Amino acid sequence: MDEKWLVGVDIGGTTIKMGFINQNGEFIYKWEIPSNIKEKGRHIPADIAKSIDQTLNKLGQEKQKLMGIGIGAPGPVNVGTGSVDVAINLGWENFPLRDLLEIETSLPVIVDNDANVAAIGEMWKGAGEGSKDLLCVTLGTGVGGGIIANGEIVHGINGAGGEIGHITSIVEGGMHCNCGKTGCIETIASATGIVRLMIEELSSTHTASKLRDFYDERQTLSSELVFEVANEGDELANKVIEKVALYLGLALSHLANGLNPEKIIIGGGVSKAGDALLVPLKNQFIRFAFPRVAQGVELAIATLGNDAGVMGGAWLVKKRLLSKHENVPLHL
C-alpha cells in the first residue's frame, strides 16, 4: 500500500499555509489561501477543507491518501479539545477548530499553538534537527515561542507554556503590551518594538543617522532598515540593536538557566538579519547565562522560514496518530 501523506496547516491572520508532506518530512506539495476573516472567521474550517479537496483533485489523489491534519493556530489553544481560546486577528473566541474541521474533512485533526508548532517543525527538519531540548523564539510583529523538553512541547497547566514574548524585561516604565502588561520582551525585540526604539532615539537625540531623513519626512521605518544601516556603521541603529540584544539575551538566559537546552533557535522576520542580530545576542546571552548552561547551548537562526508551521503540523500527525498503530519513535 502506498505511504499515506501528512497534512500540515499554518493559520495566519492574512494567509493560511498548507502542505502535503511524506512521513520522512519531505514536501509533496505546498500552497496557501487567503484567511477569510469575515463573520468572525467562521468560514475558515470549510475553506481549508475545500482547498485540501481541490488540491487532492489537482494531484489525482483520493482523500484516503491522507492520514490526518496538524494545525498551528494563533493564540492560546486547548490542546485537549482542539479549540482556540482567542485569536483576535481572526475573530475567534472559544472556537472549536478541531471539531469543525473534522466534520468538514472526515479526517483526524490535531491543533496546537502556532509558535509551538513552528518549534516542532524546526526540531524535526530545521535548525533544531537532532535535538530534543530546545527553545524556539519567533521575532515578528510580536514575539512568540515554543519550549521543547525531551522532545515534548511544554504546554503547562492551561496551555500558556512557552509565552516567551511576555517575559517582563522592563520592570518599571515599560511600554504597554497587547497582553495587558507593560515592559514585555515583545515590546522590545519584535519588529514593531525595534522600530519604536529607533523612533525614540531619533526623537530624543540630535545624533547623526542615516534614518533621520526617514523619520523627519515621516517615511515608513522598518526593522530590516534598522539592521541594514547598522551594518553600515550607523551609531543610533547599532545602539538600538545592542538594547534589543541586551534584553532578549537576558530573557533567554533566564529560560536557559531553568531548562538547560541544547539549542536556542531564533526565527521570524527579524531573524533574517542573521549575524547582525545573532552576534550581539550571543554576547549578551553568555554574559547572563550560568556558565555551564552557556557551554552546552548553541544559538542559531531558524532555517525553515515560512515552512516551519506546516512542517510542525505534519509532525503532530506523524507522532500522535501513526505512533498509535506502528512502531514509530516519539522523537526524531
Side-chain angles (χ1 to χ4, degrees), residues 234-299:
D234 189 276
E235 180 182 344
L236 282 188
N238 275 294
K239 183 178 179 181
V240 166
I241 291 171
E242 284 296 335
K243 183 178 287 188
V244 171
L246 168 67
Y247 286 111
L248 183 58
L250 178 63
L252 293 179
S253 74
H254 290 332
L255 286 167
N257 284 347
L259 296 162
N260 193 197
E262 182 178 357
K263 292 184 180 180
I264 298 177
I265 309 301
I266 312 297
V270 174
S271 72
K272 293 178 181 179
D275 284 346
L277 171 66
L278 198 60
V279 171
L281 179 59
K282 284 180 177 178
N283 291 336
Q284 295 294 349
F285 175 82
I286 292 171
R287 174 185 172 191
F288 296 117
F290 181 64
R292 187 167 176 82
V293 169
Q295 290 167 8
V297 69
E298 174 190 355
L299 274 71

Short mmCIF file of all heavy atoms in Angstrom, two decimals, residues 234-299:
data_model
loop_
_atom_site.label_atom_id
_atom_site.label_comp_id
_atom_site.label_asym_id
_atom_site.label_seq_id
_atom_site.Cartn_x
_atom_site.Cartn_y
_atom_site.Cartn_z
N ASP A 234 25.94 52.77 11.31
CA ASP A 234 25.11 53.83 11.88
C ASP A 234 25.08 53.72 13.41
O ASP A 234 24.71 52.68 13.97
CB ASP A 234 23.69 53.73 11.32
CG ASP A 234 22.83 54.92 11.69
OD1 ASP A 234 22.25 54.91 12.81
OD2 ASP A 234 22.72 55.85 10.89
N GLU A 235 25.46 54.80 14.09
CA GLU A 235 25.61 54.78 15.54
C GLU A 235 24.28 54.52 16.25
O GLU A 235 24.20 53.69 17.17
CB GLU A 235 26.20 56.11 16.02
CG GLU A 235 26.39 56.19 17.54
CD GLU A 235 26.93 57.53 17.99
OE1 GLU A 235 27.45 58.29 17.13
OE2 GLU A 235 26.85 57.83 19.19
N LEU A 236 23.24 55.25 15.87
CA LEU A 236 21.96 55.10 16.56
C LEU A 236 21.34 53.73 16.31
O LEU A 236 20.76 53.12 17.22
CB LEU A 236 20.99 56.21 16.14
CG LEU A 236 21.19 57.58 16.76
CD1 LEU A 236 20.03 58.50 16.40
CD2 LEU A 236 21.32 57.49 18.28
N ALA A 237 21.43 53.25 15.08
CA ALA A 237 20.87 51.94 14.77
C ALA A 237 21.58 50.85 15.57
O ALA A 237 20.93 49.93 16.09
CB ALA A 237 20.99 51.66 13.27
N ASN A 238 22.89 50.95 15.69
CA ASN A 238 23.63 49.97 16.49
C ASN A 238 23.29 50.06 17.96
O ASN A 238 23.27 49.05 18.68
CB ASN A 238 25.13 50.15 16.27
CG ASN A 238 25.63 49.42 15.04
OD1 ASN A 238 25.61 48.20 14.98
ND2 ASN A 238 26.06 50.17 14.03
N LYS A 239 23.00 51.26 18.43
CA LYS A 239 22.58 51.44 19.83
C LYS A 239 21.27 50.71 20.09
O LYS A 239 21.09 50.07 21.13
CB LYS A 239 22.44 52.93 20.14
CG LYS A 239 22.09 53.22 21.59
CD LYS A 239 22.02 54.73 21.84
CE LYS A 239 21.63 55.03 23.29
NZ LYS A 239 21.55 56.51 23.53
N VAL A 240 20.34 50.81 19.13
CA VAL A 240 19.05 50.12 19.26
C VAL A 240 19.24 48.62 19.25
O VAL A 240 18.67 47.89 20.08
CB VAL A 240 18.10 50.55 18.12
CG1 VAL A 240 16.89 49.62 18.03
CG2 VAL A 240 17.63 51.98 18.33
N ILE A 241 20.06 48.11 18.35
CA ILE A 241 20.27 46.66 18.27
C ILE A 241 20.94 46.13 19.53
O ILE A 241 20.61 45.04 20.02
CB ILE A 241 21.10 46.32 17.01
CG1 ILE A 241 20.25 46.60 15.77
CG2 ILE A 241 21.54 44.86 17.03
CD1 ILE A 241 21.01 46.51 14.48
N GLU A 242 21.87 46.89 20.09
CA GLU A 242 22.50 46.48 21.34
C GLU A 242 21.48 46.40 22.47
O GLU A 242 21.54 45.51 23.32
CB GLU A 242 23.63 47.44 21.71
CG GLU A 242 24.90 47.24 20.89
CD GLU A 242 25.56 45.89 21.12
OE1 GLU A 242 25.35 45.29 22.19
OE2 GLU A 242 26.27 45.42 20.21
N LYS A 243 20.53 47.33 22.47
CA LYS A 243 19.48 47.30 23.51
C LYS A 243 18.59 46.08 23.33
O LYS A 243 18.24 45.39 24.30
CB LYS A 243 18.65 48.58 23.45
CG LYS A 243 17.58 48.66 24.53
CD LYS A 243 16.81 49.97 24.48
CE LYS A 243 17.65 51.13 24.97
NZ LYS A 243 16.85 52.38 25.11
N VAL A 244 18.22 45.79 22.08
CA VAL A 244 17.41 44.61 21.79
C VAL A 244 18.15 43.34 22.23
O VAL A 244 17.59 42.47 22.90
CB VAL A 244 17.07 44.54 20.29
CG1 VAL A 244 16.42 43.19 19.95
CG2 VAL A 244 16.14 45.68 19.90
N ALA A 245 19.44 43.25 21.87
CA ALA A 245 20.24 42.07 22.22
C ALA A 245 20.38 41.94 23.73
O ALA A 245 20.35 40.82 24.28
CB ALA A 245 21.61 42.16 21.56
N LEU A 246 20.52 43.06 24.43
CA LEU A 246 20.65 43.05 25.88
C LEU A 246 19.43 42.41 26.54
O LEU A 246 19.55 41.46 27.32
CB LEU A 246 20.84 44.48 26.40
CG LEU A 246 20.71 44.69 27.91
CD1 LEU A 246 21.85 43.99 28.63
CD2 LEU A 246 20.68 46.18 28.25
N TYR A 247 18.25 42.93 26.22
CA TYR A 247 17.05 42.45 26.90
C TYR A 247 16.64 41.06 26.43
O TYR A 247 16.18 40.24 27.23
CB TYR A 247 15.91 43.44 26.70
CG TYR A 247 16.08 44.69 27.53
CD1 TYR A 247 16.36 45.93 26.94
CD2 TYR A 247 15.99 44.64 28.92
CE1 TYR A 247 16.53 47.07 27.71
CE2 TYR A 247 16.15 45.78 29.70
CZ TYR A 247 16.43 46.99 29.09
OH TYR A 247 16.60 48.12 29.86
N LEU A 248 16.81 40.77 25.14
CA LEU A 248 16.48 39.44 24.66
C LEU A 248 17.47 38.42 25.19
O LEU A 248 17.08 37.32 25.61
CB LEU A 248 16.46 39.43 23.13
CG LEU A 248 16.04 38.11 22.47
CD1 LEU A 248 14.65 37.69 22.92
CD2 LEU A 248 16.10 38.23 20.95
N GLY A 249 18.75 38.77 25.21
CA GLY A 249 19.75 37.86 25.77
C GLY A 249 19.51 37.57 27.23
O GLY A 249 19.68 36.43 27.70
N LEU A 250 19.10 38.58 27.98
CA LEU A 250 18.79 38.40 29.40
C LEU A 250 17.60 37.46 29.58
O LEU A 250 17.65 36.52 30.40
CB LEU A 250 18.49 39.75 30.04
CG LEU A 250 18.09 39.74 31.52
CD1 LEU A 250 19.23 39.20 32.38
CD2 LEU A 250 17.70 41.15 31.98
N ALA A 251 16.54 37.68 28.81
CA ALA A 251 15.34 36.83 28.91
C ALA A 251 15.66 35.38 28.55
O ALA A 251 15.25 34.44 29.25
CB ALA A 251 14.23 37.37 28.01
N LEU A 252 16.41 35.18 27.48
CA LEU A 252 16.75 33.83 27.05
C LEU A 252 17.68 33.14 28.05
O LEU A 252 17.60 31.92 28.24
CB LEU A 252 17.38 33.86 25.66
CG LEU A 252 16.46 34.29 24.52
CD1 LEU A 252 17.21 34.30 23.20
CD2 LEU A 252 15.24 33.39 24.42
N SER A 253 18.54 33.91 28.69
CA SER A 253 19.43 33.31 29.68
C SER A 253 18.65 32.78 30.87
O SER A 253 18.96 31.72 31.41
CB SER A 253 20.48 34.32 30.14
OG SER A 253 19.92 35.30 31.00
N HIS A 254 17.64 33.53 31.30
CA HIS A 254 16.80 33.06 32.41
C HIS A 254 16.11 31.75 32.05
O HIS A 254 16.05 30.81 32.86
CB HIS A 254 15.76 34.11 32.77
CG HIS A 254 16.34 35.34 33.42
ND1 HIS A 254 17.50 35.32 34.14
CD2 HIS A 254 15.89 36.63 33.45
CE1 HIS A 254 17.76 36.53 34.60
NE2 HIS A 254 16.80 37.34 34.18
N LEU A 255 15.55 31.69 30.84
CA LEU A 255 14.89 30.45 30.40
C LEU A 255 15.90 29.31 30.32
O LEU A 255 15.63 28.20 30.77
CB LEU A 255 14.25 30.67 29.03
CG LEU A 255 12.97 31.50 29.00
CD1 LEU A 255 12.63 31.90 27.56
CD2 LEU A 255 11.82 30.73 29.61
N ALA A 256 17.05 29.59 29.74
CA ALA A 256 18.07 28.54 29.57
C ALA A 256 18.60 28.05 30.91
O ALA A 256 18.87 26.86 31.08
CB ALA A 256 19.21 29.08 28.71
N ASN A 257 18.73 28.95 31.88
CA ASN A 257 19.20 28.53 33.20
C ASN A 257 18.24 27.54 33.83
O ASN A 257 18.66 26.67 34.62
CB ASN A 257 19.38 29.75 34.11
CG ASN A 257 20.62 30.55 33.80
OD1 ASN A 257 21.50 30.10 33.07
ND2 ASN A 257 20.70 31.75 34.34
N GLY A 258 16.97 27.67 33.53
CA GLY A 258 15.99 26.74 34.09
C GLY A 258 15.84 25.46 33.29
O GLY A 258 15.49 24.42 33.84
N LEU A 259 16.10 25.53 31.97
CA LEU A 259 15.82 24.40 31.09
C LEU A 259 17.06 23.69 30.57
O LEU A 259 16.97 22.54 30.15
CB LEU A 259 14.98 24.88 29.90
CG LEU A 259 13.59 25.41 30.27
CD1 LEU A 259 13.01 26.25 29.13
CD2 LEU A 259 12.66 24.25 30.60
N ASN A 260 18.22 24.37 30.57
CA ASN A 260 19.46 23.79 30.07
C ASN A 260 19.27 23.16 28.68
O ASN A 260 19.55 21.98 28.48
CB ASN A 260 19.96 22.75 31.06
CG ASN A 260 21.40 22.30 30.79
OD1 ASN A 260 21.81 21.27 31.29
ND2 ASN A 260 22.16 23.04 30.00
N PRO A 261 18.82 23.95 27.68
CA PRO A 261 18.55 23.39 26.36
C PRO A 261 19.83 23.15 25.56
O PRO A 261 20.89 23.71 25.86
CB PRO A 261 17.72 24.49 25.69
CG PRO A 261 18.25 25.75 26.30
CD PRO A 261 18.55 25.39 27.74
N GLU A 262 19.71 22.33 24.54
CA GLU A 262 20.82 22.09 23.63
C GLU A 262 20.93 23.19 22.58
O GLU A 262 22.02 23.57 22.17
CB GLU A 262 20.65 20.74 22.94
CG GLU A 262 21.78 20.37 22.01
CD GLU A 262 21.60 19.01 21.37
OE1 GLU A 262 20.61 18.31 21.69
OE2 GLU A 262 22.44 18.64 20.54
N LYS A 263 19.77 23.70 22.15
CA LYS A 263 19.76 24.74 21.13
C LYS A 263 18.72 25.81 21.44
O LYS A 263 17.68 25.52 22.04
CB LYS A 263 19.46 24.14 19.75
CG LYS A 263 20.56 23.25 19.20
CD LYS A 263 20.26 22.78 17.79
CE LYS A 263 21.38 21.89 17.26
NZ LYS A 263 21.10 21.41 15.88
N ILE A 264 19.02 27.03 21.03
CA ILE A 264 18.05 28.12 21.04
C ILE A 264 17.94 28.61 19.60
O ILE A 264 18.93 29.07 19.02
CB ILE A 264 18.48 29.28 21.96
CG1 ILE A 264 18.57 28.78 23.42
CG2 ILE A 264 17.49 30.44 21.86
CD1 ILE A 264 19.05 29.84 24.40
N ILE A 265 16.76 28.47 19.03
CA ILE A 265 16.54 28.79 17.63
C ILE A 265 15.80 30.13 17.53
O ILE A 265 14.76 30.33 18.16
CB ILE A 265 15.71 27.70 16.93
CG1 ILE A 265 16.30 26.31 17.19
CG2 ILE A 265 15.58 27.99 15.44
CD1 ILE A 265 17.71 26.14 16.73
N ILE A 266 16.34 31.04 16.74
CA ILE A 266 15.74 32.36 16.55
C ILE A 266 15.11 32.41 15.16
O ILE A 266 15.80 32.29 14.15
CB ILE A 266 16.78 33.49 16.69
CG1 ILE A 266 17.64 33.30 17.95
CG2 ILE A 266 16.09 34.85 16.68
CD1 ILE A 266 16.88 33.37 19.24
N GLY A 267 13.78 32.58 15.11
CA GLY A 267 13.08 32.63 13.84
C GLY A 267 12.26 33.90 13.70
O GLY A 267 12.40 34.84 14.48
N GLY A 268 11.37 33.93 12.73
CA GLY A 268 10.56 35.11 12.47
C GLY A 268 11.27 36.08 11.54
O GLY A 268 12.47 35.94 11.25
N GLY A 269 10.53 37.09 11.08
CA GLY A 269 11.08 38.03 10.12
C GLY A 269 12.33 38.74 10.58
O GLY A 269 13.25 38.99 9.78
N VAL A 270 12.41 39.09 11.87
CA VAL A 270 13.57 39.81 12.39
C VAL A 270 14.83 38.95 12.29
O VAL A 270 15.94 39.47 12.13
CB VAL A 270 13.33 40.26 13.85
CG1 VAL A 270 14.58 40.89 14.45
CG2 VAL A 270 12.17 41.25 13.90
N SER A 271 14.68 37.63 12.34
CA SER A 271 15.84 36.74 12.30
C SER A 271 16.57 36.80 10.96
O SER A 271 17.70 36.33 10.84
CB SER A 271 15.42 35.30 12.59
OG SER A 271 14.71 34.73 11.50
N LYS A 272 15.94 37.37 9.93
CA LYS A 272 16.59 37.50 8.63
C LYS A 272 17.81 38.41 8.71
O LYS A 272 18.63 38.43 7.79
CB LYS A 272 15.60 38.02 7.60
CG LYS A 272 14.47 37.04 7.28
CD LYS A 272 13.49 37.62 6.29
CE LYS A 272 12.35 36.64 6.02
NZ LYS A 272 11.36 37.21 5.07
N ALA A 273 17.94 39.16 9.79
CA ALA A 273 19.13 39.99 9.99
C ALA A 273 20.38 39.14 10.17
O ALA A 273 21.50 39.64 10.02
CB ALA A 273 18.94 40.90 11.21
N GLY A 274 20.22 37.86 10.50
CA GLY A 274 21.36 36.95 10.60
C GLY A 274 22.34 37.34 11.68
O GLY A 274 21.96 37.63 12.82
N ASP A 275 23.61 37.38 11.33
CA ASP A 275 24.67 37.64 12.31
C ASP A 275 24.57 39.03 12.92
O ASP A 275 25.07 39.26 14.04
CB ASP A 275 26.04 37.47 11.67
CG ASP A 275 26.43 36.01 11.49
OD1 ASP A 275 25.77 35.15 12.10
OD2 ASP A 275 27.39 35.74 10.74
N ALA A 276 23.94 39.98 12.20
CA ALA A 276 23.78 41.32 12.76
C ALA A 276 22.97 41.28 14.05
O ALA A 276 23.16 42.13 14.94
CB ALA A 276 23.11 42.25 11.74
N LEU A 277 22.10 40.30 14.18
CA LEU A 277 21.36 40.07 15.41
C LEU A 277 22.03 39.02 16.28
O LEU A 277 22.18 39.19 17.49
CB LEU A 277 19.93 39.63 15.10
CG LEU A 277 19.09 39.15 16.28
CD1 LEU A 277 18.81 40.29 17.26
CD2 LEU A 277 17.77 38.54 15.80
N LEU A 278 22.47 37.93 15.65
CA LEU A 278 22.93 36.76 16.40
C LEU A 278 24.21 37.04 17.19
O LEU A 278 24.34 36.59 18.33
CB LEU A 278 23.14 35.59 15.44
CG LEU A 278 23.20 34.20 16.07
CD1 LEU A 278 21.92 33.87 16.80
CD2 LEU A 278 23.48 33.15 14.99
N VAL A 279 25.14 37.76 16.61
CA VAL A 279 26.42 38.00 17.28
C VAL A 279 26.25 38.81 18.58
O VAL A 279 26.71 38.37 19.65
CB VAL A 279 27.43 38.68 16.33
CG1 VAL A 279 28.67 39.13 17.10
CG2 VAL A 279 27.83 37.72 15.21
N PRO A 280 25.58 39.98 18.55
CA PRO A 280 25.39 40.69 19.82
C PRO A 280 24.49 39.93 20.79
O PRO A 280 24.68 40.02 22.01
CB PRO A 280 24.77 42.03 19.41
CG PRO A 280 24.19 41.80 18.06
CD PRO A 280 25.07 40.78 17.42
N LEU A 281 23.54 39.16 20.26
CA LEU A 281 22.66 38.38 21.13
C LEU A 281 23.45 37.30 21.87
O LEU A 281 23.27 37.10 23.07
CB LEU A 281 21.54 37.75 20.31
CG LEU A 281 20.54 36.87 21.08
CD1 LEU A 281 19.85 37.66 22.17
CD2 LEU A 281 19.52 36.27 20.11
N LYS A 282 24.35 36.63 21.17
CA LYS A 282 25.18 35.61 21.82
C LYS A 282 26.03 36.23 22.92
O LYS A 282 26.18 35.65 24.01
CB LYS A 282 26.09 34.94 20.78
CG LYS A 282 25.40 33.93 19.89
CD LYS A 282 26.40 33.33 18.91
CE LYS A 282 25.77 32.27 18.04
NZ LYS A 282 26.73 31.71 17.06
N ASN A 283 26.58 37.39 22.65
CA ASN A 283 27.43 38.06 23.64
C ASN A 283 26.65 38.36 24.92
O ASN A 283 27.15 38.14 26.04
CB ASN A 283 28.00 39.35 23.07
CG ASN A 283 29.02 39.10 21.97
OD1 ASN A 283 29.62 38.03 21.91
ND2 ASN A 283 29.21 40.08 21.10
N GLN A 284 25.43 38.86 24.77
CA GLN A 284 24.63 39.18 25.95
C GLN A 284 24.13 37.92 26.65
O GLN A 284 24.07 37.87 27.88
CB GLN A 284 23.45 40.08 25.55
CG GLN A 284 23.84 41.44 25.02
CD GLN A 284 24.51 42.31 26.07
OE1 GLN A 284 24.52 42.01 27.26
NE2 GLN A 284 25.11 43.41 25.62
N PHE A 285 23.78 36.91 25.87
CA PHE A 285 23.34 35.64 26.46
C PHE A 285 24.44 35.04 27.32
O PHE A 285 24.21 34.62 28.47
CB PHE A 285 22.94 34.66 25.36
CG PHE A 285 22.58 33.30 25.86
CD1 PHE A 285 21.32 33.04 26.37
CD2 PHE A 285 23.52 32.27 25.85
CE1 PHE A 285 20.98 31.78 26.86
CE2 PHE A 285 23.19 31.01 26.33
CZ PHE A 285 21.92 30.78 26.84
N ILE A 286 25.66 35.00 26.79
CA ILE A 286 26.80 34.44 27.54
C ILE A 286 27.07 35.26 28.80
O ILE A 286 27.42 34.72 29.85
CB ILE A 286 28.04 34.38 26.65
CG1 ILE A 286 27.84 33.34 25.55
CG2 ILE A 286 29.31 34.07 27.45
CD1 ILE A 286 28.91 33.35 24.48
N ARG A 287 26.85 36.55 28.70
CA ARG A 287 27.06 37.44 29.85
C ARG A 287 26.15 37.06 31.02
O ARG A 287 26.56 37.11 32.18
CB ARG A 287 26.79 38.88 29.42
CG ARG A 287 26.83 39.90 30.53
CD ARG A 287 26.42 41.27 29.99
NE ARG A 287 26.26 42.25 31.06
CZ ARG A 287 25.72 43.45 30.89
NH1 ARG A 287 25.30 43.82 29.69
NH2 ARG A 287 25.60 44.27 31.92
N PHE A 288 24.92 36.67 30.73
CA PHE A 288 23.93 36.44 31.79
C PHE A 288 23.68 34.97 32.14
O PHE A 288 23.17 34.68 33.21
CB PHE A 288 22.59 37.08 31.40
CG PHE A 288 22.65 38.57 31.27
CD1 PHE A 288 22.41 39.19 30.05
CD2 PHE A 288 22.95 39.37 32.37
CE1 PHE A 288 22.46 40.58 29.94
CE2 PHE A 288 23.00 40.75 32.26
CZ PHE A 288 22.76 41.36 31.03
N ALA A 289 23.99 34.06 31.23
CA ALA A 289 23.68 32.66 31.47
C ALA A 289 24.67 32.04 32.46
O ALA A 289 25.84 32.43 32.53
CB ALA A 289 23.70 31.88 30.15
N PHE A 290 24.20 31.05 33.20
CA PHE A 290 25.07 30.25 34.05
C PHE A 290 26.13 29.62 33.15
O PHE A 290 25.80 29.06 32.09
CB PHE A 290 24.25 29.17 34.75
CG PHE A 290 25.03 28.28 35.68
CD1 PHE A 290 25.66 28.79 36.81
CD2 PHE A 290 25.13 26.91 35.41
CE1 PHE A 290 26.37 27.97 37.65
CE2 PHE A 290 25.85 26.09 36.25
CZ PHE A 290 26.48 26.62 37.38
N PRO A 291 27.42 29.70 33.51
CA PRO A 291 28.49 29.27 32.59
C PRO A 291 28.30 27.87 32.01
O PRO A 291 28.52 27.66 30.82
CB PRO A 291 29.74 29.36 33.47
CG PRO A 291 29.44 30.47 34.43
CD PRO A 291 27.97 30.32 34.74
N ARG A 292 27.91 26.92 32.83
CA ARG A 292 27.76 25.55 32.32
C ARG A 292 26.60 25.47 31.32
O ARG A 292 26.66 24.73 30.35
CB ARG A 292 27.54 24.58 33.48
CG ARG A 292 27.54 23.12 33.04
CD ARG A 292 27.65 22.19 34.24
NE ARG A 292 27.56 20.79 33.86
CZ ARG A 292 28.58 20.08 33.39
NH1 ARG A 292 29.76 20.64 33.24
NH2 ARG A 292 28.43 18.82 33.08
N VAL A 293 25.54 26.24 31.56
CA VAL A 293 24.43 26.30 30.61
C VAL A 293 24.90 26.89 29.29
O VAL A 293 24.60 26.38 28.21
CB VAL A 293 23.27 27.14 31.19
CG1 VAL A 293 22.22 27.44 30.12
CG2 VAL A 293 22.61 26.40 32.36
N ALA A 294 25.65 27.98 29.37
CA ALA A 294 26.15 28.65 28.16
C ALA A 294 27.06 27.73 27.35
O ALA A 294 27.05 27.76 26.12
CB ALA A 294 26.88 29.93 28.53
N GLN A 295 27.82 26.90 28.04
CA GLN A 295 28.73 25.99 27.34
C GLN A 295 27.97 24.92 26.56
O GLN A 295 28.47 24.41 25.55
CB GLN A 295 29.66 25.32 28.36
CG GLN A 295 30.69 26.27 28.98
CD GLN A 295 31.37 25.66 30.20
OE1 GLN A 295 31.19 24.47 30.49
NE2 GLN A 295 32.16 26.46 30.89
N GLY A 296 26.79 24.57 27.04
CA GLY A 296 26.06 23.45 26.44
C GLY A 296 25.08 23.83 25.36
O GLY A 296 24.51 22.95 24.71
N VAL A 297 24.86 25.13 25.13
CA VAL A 297 23.81 25.54 24.21
C VAL A 297 24.38 26.19 22.95
O VAL A 297 25.42 26.83 22.98
CB VAL A 297 22.83 26.52 24.90
CG1 VAL A 297 23.50 27.86 25.18
CG2 VAL A 297 21.57 26.72 24.07
N GLU A 298 23.68 25.98 21.86
CA GLU A 298 24.02 26.63 20.59
C GLU A 298 22.87 27.56 20.20
O GLU A 298 21.70 27.16 20.20
CB GLU A 298 24.20 25.58 19.49
CG GLU A 298 24.42 26.19 18.10
CD GLU A 298 24.37 25.16 16.99
OE1 GLU A 298 24.26 23.95 17.29
OE2 GLU A 298 24.40 25.57 15.81
N LEU A 299 23.20 28.82 19.89
CA LEU A 299 22.21 29.76 19.38
C LEU A 299 22.31 29.76 17.86
O LEU A 299 23.41 29.86 17.30
CB LEU A 299 22.44 31.17 19.90
CG LEU A 299 21.80 31.52 21.26
CD1 LEU A 299 22.53 30.79 22.39
CD2 LEU A 299 21.83 33.03 21.51
#
